[in-house]
Amino acid sequence: MPRTASSPSAAAGPVALYHQVYTVLREQLREGRYAPDVALPGEMEFAGRFGVSRVTMRRALDELKREGLIERTRGRGSFARLAPQAAPVRGSLSGLLENIVAMGLKTSVRIIALDTIEAPADVAEALRLPAGAMVQKAIRVRSLSGAPLAVMTTFVPESVASFTRRELTDAPMLKLLEAAGVRVSHADQTISAKLADTFTAPLLDVTYGAALLAVNRLVFDQNERPVQLLRGLYRPDRYEYQMTLARAGDAARVWVSRDDAVAKNAVARPAARPAVRLKRAA
């Protein structure tokens, strides 16, 4: 049977075929395409729709059952069973850096690793450190209502500050930096996507190859000195970004962030380094 646009394909990459099927069905279930009082198609019918083997289809359905998205009963079939989901945490690109701290206060943190190491070349370059400089590397899992939200890896120059496990558990890192005398000014941030690897997947309670939001943030103090590099991987079903766009320009109007549009109208200087402003983040 020809595969449809939503069907999995071996050409999609290294993600297991059953996981591709699982991902498509999970989204369909969450969109409410299957009524909870009507049996889902059987394994053979689903396998035909997706163009996969029955074994692959069964594994995808087992994964959906494990996550509580369907109920499988011998003799009755499978039924959608969507448990009430907490609204995802929303991060806005308009707001203040203080909101990052507020997010930290509303979530819990588990320390996975905390070490002082020689900065890897890419980290040293980002933090503008000389070769051989030492940094404190922390790997943390941030959770909301007991559910893992993000895995965050941070690097802080040893010359700036260092923290204990207790401190990192009890307070957001931005507050700790400020307590150490650092005056945080702004941050450069990029958002992309990555697949969960064998280290990240169990920490976020997702399957290997699951899609994640990848956040890379470089924080600066008032003297334009980099004081923290954060690399975060977020579950997209529990975290989302929002931003408001406005039209700008006279000759060729383009969409820009409303904050950028306001800033350009308010001050006569280029926003060479727009501050990252998140409503909720680590």
Side-chain angles (χ1 to χ4, degrees), residues 2-279:
R3 289 189 171 100
T4 65
S6 62
S7 299
S9 168
V15 180
L17 192 57
Y18 87 89
H19 185 77
Q20 297 177 47
V21 175
Y22 150 80
T23 300
V24 172
L25 274 178
R26 180 186 61 183
E27 293 307 308
Q28 292 178 350
L29 286 163
R30 287 177 173 167
E31 290 170 359
R33 295 194 189 184
Y34 300 100
D37 57 345
V38 178
L40 297 173
E43 288 181 0
M44 289 299 294
E45 183 176 347
F46 263 143
R49 290 185 185 183
F50 285 100
V52 299
S53 70
R54 186 170 182 176
V55 172
T56 296
M57 194 66 238
R58 182 180 299 121
R59 188 172 181 186
L61 291 173
D62 286 343
E63 189 66 24
L64 292 169
K65 178 182 178 182
R66 187 186 72 83
E67 290 202 8
L69 296 176
I70 65 172
E71 180 179 355
R72 308 188 73 188
T73 305
R74 184 181 298 275
R76 294 185 64 238
S78 301
F79 293 82
R81 194 186 65 137
L82 285 179
Q85 295 185 21
V89 176
R90 290 180 175 177
S92 172
L93 292 181
S94 60
L96 299 174
L97 278 172
E98 283 79 357
N99 289 326
I100 298 176
V101 176
M103 173 60 187
L105 295 173
K106 295 177 182 178
T107 56
S108 60
V109 166
R110 177 164 62 98
I111 309 299
I112 304 301
L114 182 62
D115 300 290
T116 298
I117 63 171
E118 183 176 313
D122 59 329
V123 173
E125 181 179 2
L127 292 172
R128 303 175 190 171
L129 298 173
M134 305 300 288
V135 295
Q136 185 177 60
K137 177 182 178 181
I139 302 177
R140 299 167 293 158
V141 173
R142 189 168 290 283
S143 299
L144 181 67
S145 300
L149 172 71
V151 174
M152 301 165 298
T153 302
T154 54
F155 301 89
V156 174
E158 188 179 43
S159 58
V160 172
S162 62
F163 312 111
T164 66
R165 284 177 173 264
R166 180 63 179 271
E167 289 174 330
L168 290 172
T169 301
D170 292 346
M173 190 172 285
L174 286 184
K175 285 186 69 70
L176 295 176
L177 284 169
E178 290 175 344
V182 177
R183 296 187 63 182
V184 174
S185 171
H186 60 274
D188 284 346
Q189 177 164 288
T190 59
I191 304 172
S192 58
K194 286 189 176 182
L195 300 180
D197 57 23
T198 53
F199 175 77
T200 305
L203 294 177
L204 288 178
D205 193 24
V206 297
T207 55
Y208 170 73
L212 302 172
L213 281 175
V215 175
N216 194 82
R217 182 188 306 145
L218 186 60
V219 179
F220 296 82
D221 68 7
Q222 61 178 354
N223 298 317
E224 295 294 313
R225 175 184 59 161
V227 294
Q228 182 204 60
L229 174 63
L230 179 145
R231 294 168 178 169
L233 294 173
Y234 292 76
R235 284 187 55 150
D237 58 335
R238 295 176 180 168
Y239 191 85
E240 62 185 26
Y241 276 90
Q242 290 185 332
M243 65 186 301
T244 301
L245 303 178
R247 296 292 298 278
D250 295 325
R253 290 184 174 273
V254 295
W255 289 108
V256 299
S257 165
R258 177 177 289 179
D259 283 351
D260 287 347
V262 172
K264 289 176 182 177
N265 291 330
V267 295
R269 62 180 177 81
R273 194 190 303 272
V276 171
R277 296 184 170 94
L278 307 178
K279 181 177 180 183

